[in-house]
């Protein structure tokens, strides 16, 4: 056992003495040491209950003969960090989470690990750590929040964000907005739509590193506690069989996860996180891997913000295993891959059942013929840009419009809410990329304001920043190269014409090459005085098309 280096032989008497100071008995010290990574805090609603999940995982480890040792990691709530300087720190936290877990796990020679995340950057950060460490591991998330109810209709956090635009448009009153904010988030858990947190929790299950149910069992259900106990027990089985994360998260398993991504209509943030996670396993994924799968896999599940369903509906319909069972006849899945159950995906799917064909559509009648995400390229984004095409209205799939240019999210949001954006405009928000932000902020406030004001049928938004999984509409992000690196988005001027053709995968700045060359020669990126984490992040991060991970 790895932990023997901390406890075997007479030379390790001081180590054992320190362990006994924590109350561990000789019997506990003799067993495998299992690190329990707990991201609980009193800030994030998706994490407020994680002490209970972590305790259940520890119970499972003890039942299976291991000694659990819990430690904590940080987490940022993207919803609370949204639309101010705090959002600059969210994406960089992913790398810090992975690094901090590596430090603790290597410093204490754990034999196995159970990871307990739930929200946006915490899930990919823990996945990165699991693959980097490559010791037997299971991820068990805290589960999704239940949807709220208001006057007989389902509501969620995005209903509140869009409510601000509706208030500005005069569609609701201030009192109605306050009533909405009071009921949109009714329980603990990751926000209830197919936003980034739930996207990553579902893909963790599809990848095989989470047990069946990881992505969809609601946080408020006792089944989630039982799932955590099983995770603790199962990691001991993986240890016994010497099944490690890289044995599970193979190239075929990542291919499976991307296929599920397309069927679900996940957050565009998956195009940042999945390649960064794969890189830790020595696997290189590109934007083209996502686009190729998008053309093979139809969009089968229409969840908020694009559709009427929530994660609890997907849970009742059969969950991620049922989605994969639906995809099986397409031939896009490798069902021979091993999973955290210790069994193959094929064995897992034999127990899956598709309960609701409206929530998980048949292959013959999908919500859309193509998958949820599309990769666009052209003179505005030579290295690629990302759009959640399943959330784009039909009339916005092909568009030419007038550029309205803003050098920060705040400037754009102020203009939108002040009624300065008109039908036919294309809002361009730049210097919000990984380096330029720095931190690649999410643009949920501008996109939800556009939707809430009823402009999503007439206005597109393009940015070198990124979007919340709660974004819907013709919102095109990750524009690469970013403005801070002199990408074409830095050269756009007010009044330029921009062409968008999502079916053709094109995004072009309709300005002649001679003019762009002249602008390029005069280009100078704005200087930003950076300190601390953001200074290091801006120096070390790669571009969005590389997953915004640290350079080697």
């Amino acid at each position: 056992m790895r932990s023997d280096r901390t406890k075997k032989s007479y030379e390790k008497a001081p180590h054992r003495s320190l362990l006994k100071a924590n109350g561990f008995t000789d019997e506990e010290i003799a067993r495998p040491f299992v690190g329990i990574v707990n991201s609980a805090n009193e800030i994030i609603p998706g994490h407020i209950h994680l002490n209970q999940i972590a305790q259940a995982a520890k119970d499972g480890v003890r039942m299976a003969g291991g000694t659990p040792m819990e430690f904590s990691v940080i987490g940022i709530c993207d919803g609370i960090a949204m639309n101010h300087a705090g959002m600059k720190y969210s994406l960089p936290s992913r790398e810090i989470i992975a690094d901090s877990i590596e430090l603790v796990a290597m410093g204490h020679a754990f034999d196995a690990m159970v990871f307990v995340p739930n929200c946006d950057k915490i899930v990919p950060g823990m996945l990165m750590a699991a693959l980097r460490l490559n010791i037997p591991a299971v991820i068990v998330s805290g589960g999704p929040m239940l949807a709220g109810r208001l006057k007989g209709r389902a509501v969620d956090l995005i209903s509140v964000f869009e409510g601000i635009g509706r208030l500005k448009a005069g569609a609701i009153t201030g009192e109605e907005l306050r009533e909405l904010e009071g009921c949109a988030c009714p329980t603990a858990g990751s926000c209830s739509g197919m936003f980034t947190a739930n996207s990553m929790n579902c893909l963790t299950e599809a990848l095989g590193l989470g047990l069946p149910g990881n992505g969809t069992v609601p946080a408020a259900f006792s089944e989630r506690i039982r799932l955590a106990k099983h995770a603790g027990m199962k990691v001991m089985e993986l240890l016994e069989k010497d099944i490690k994360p890289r044995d599970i998260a193979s190239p075929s398993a990542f291919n499976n996860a991307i296929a599920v991504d397309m069927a679900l209509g996940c957050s565009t943030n998956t195009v940042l996180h999945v390649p960064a996670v794969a890189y830790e396993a020595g696997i290189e994924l590109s934007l083209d891997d996502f686009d190729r799968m998008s053309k093979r896999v139809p969009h089968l599940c229409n969840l908020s913000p694009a559709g009427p369903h929530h994660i609890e509906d997907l849970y009742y319909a059969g969950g991620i295993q049922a989605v994969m069972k639906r995809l099986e006849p397409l031939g896009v899945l490798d069902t021979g891959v091993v999973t955290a159950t210790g069994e193959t995906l094929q064995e897992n799917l034999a127990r899956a059942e598709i309960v609701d064909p409206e929530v998980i559509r048949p292959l013959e009648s999908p919500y859309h013929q193509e998958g949820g995400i599309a990769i666009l390229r052209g003179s505005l984004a030579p290295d690629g840009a990302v759009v959640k095409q399943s959330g784009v209205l039909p009339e916005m799939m092909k568009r030419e419009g007038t550029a309205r240019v803003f050098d920060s999210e705040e400037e754009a949001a102020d203009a939108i809410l002040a009624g300065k954006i008109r039908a036919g405009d294309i809002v361009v928000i730049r210097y919000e990329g990984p380096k330029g932000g720095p931190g690649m902020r999410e643009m949920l406030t501008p996109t939800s304001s556009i939707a809430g004001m009823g402009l999503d049928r007439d206005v597109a938004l393009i940015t070198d920043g990124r979007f919340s999984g709660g974004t819907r509409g013709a919102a095109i992000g990750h524009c690469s190269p970013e403005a801070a690196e002199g990408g074409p988005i830095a050269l756009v001027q007010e009044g330029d014409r921009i062409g968008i053709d999502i079916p053709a995968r094109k995004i072009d700045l309709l300005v002649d090459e001679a003019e762009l060359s002249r602008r390029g020669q005069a280009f100078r990126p704005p200087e930003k005085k950076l300190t601390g984490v953001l200074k290091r992040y801006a120096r070390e991060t790669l571009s969005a098309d590389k997953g915004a991970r640290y350079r080697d």
Side-chain angles (χ1 to χ4, degrees), residues 194-529:
M194 190 50 76
F195 315 143
T196 303
N198 290 324
S199 294
M200 289 307 302
N201 284 326
C202 289
L203 295 191
T204 298
E205 182 179 338
L207 188 59
L209 289 171
L211 297 178
N214 180 73
T216 60
V217 175
F221 286 13
S222 59
E223 185 181 349
R224 178 60 59 173
I225 302 298
R226 299 195 297 274
L227 183 69
K229 289 180 180 178
H230 283 130
M233 290 185 279
K234 190 58 68 173
V235 81
M236 296 302 296
E237 180 182 327
L238 297 180
L239 176 61
E240 182 181 354
K241 294 179 177 178
D242 195 31
I243 298 175
K244 300 183 178 72
R246 292 184 199 173
D247 299 323
I248 294 171
S250 63
S252 291
F254 276 101
N255 190 71
N256 291 348
I258 294 172
V260 172
D261 188 345
M262 296 306 143
L264 292 175
C266 287
S267 164
T268 51
N269 278 318
T270 60
V271 183
L272 278 179
H273 298 321
V274 172
V277 172
Y279 186 80
E280 298 290 347
I283 299 167
E284 295 272 3
L285 295 177
S286 72
L287 298 183
D288 292 334
D289 292 309
F290 288 82
D291 205 48
R292 278 192 293 268
M293 190 61 77
S294 179
K295 293 174 180 177
R296 296 183 66 191
V297 176
H299 178 221
L300 302 178
C301 304
N302 205 18
L303 289 90
S304 175
H309 302 131
H310 288 82
I311 302 297
E312 64 204 70
D313 300 309
L314 181 57
Y315 162 74
Y316 285 120
I320 299 307
Q321 301 299 303
V323 174
M324 299 182 86
K325 193 177 188 75
R326 184 72 90 193
L327 291 177
E328 202 172 359
L330 270 183
V332 296
L333 301 180
D334 181 347
T335 58
V337 296
V338 69
T339 71
T341 64
E343 298 178 311
T344 65
L345 177 60
Q346 186 173 28
E347 290 172 303
N348 293 345
L349 295 187
R351 295 185 287 272
E353 181 182 2
I354 302 164
V355 178
D356 189 335
E358 183 60 21
V359 177
I360 305 173
R361 284 275 184 92
L363 295 174
E364 300 76 27
S365 56
Y367 284 100
H368 300 96
Q369 291 296 330
E370 290 191 349
I373 289 173
I375 306 300
L376 313 184
R377 297 182 191 272
S379 60
L380 186 55
D383 293 343
V386 182
V387 62
K388 187 173 183 174
Q389 63 175 344
S390 58
V392 180
L393 293 169
E395 55 265 46
M396 293 298 293
M397 294 293 284
K398 187 174 182 178
R399 199 78 170 181
E400 183 178 318
T402 303
R404 302 295 308 280
V405 183
F406 303 93
D407 287 348
S408 72
E409 177 194 6
E410 289 87 352
E411 292 177 16
D414 289 346
I416 294 164
L417 291 173
K420 296 180 180 178
I421 302 301
R422 302 282 187 261
D425 287 345
I426 295 180
V427 176
V428 177
I429 307 176
R430 61 192 181 191
Y431 299 111
E432 291 286 7
K435 289 181 180 295
M440 204 178 183
R441 289 194 290 180
E442 291 184 344
M443 303 288 132
L444 180 56
T445 295
T447 57
S448 59
S449 296
I450 287 170
M453 296 176 75
L455 293 171
D456 53 325
R457 295 181 179 277
D458 302 292
V459 173
L461 188 149
I462 300 170
T463 181
D464 55 4
R466 60 195 177 93
F467 299 113
S468 161
T471 288
R472 63 183 176 93
I476 300 165
H478 307 197
C479 200
S480 299
E482 62 175 289
E485 292 193 315
I489 192 171
L491 309 181
V492 182
Q493 293 183 0
E494 189 85 4
D496 284 348
R497 300 293 288 177
I498 293 174
I500 300 167
D501 190 338
I502 295 173
R505 305 301 202 258
K506 296 290 291 181
I507 181 167
D508 289 306
L509 176 58
L510 305 178
V511 175
D512 67 66
E513 291 186 11
E515 172 62 15
L516 285 180
S517 177
R518 184 190 66 78
R519 294 180 191 179
Q521 291 172 4
F523 169 73
R524 298 292 183 276
E527 291 187 11
K528 295 186 177 182
K529 294 182 179 180

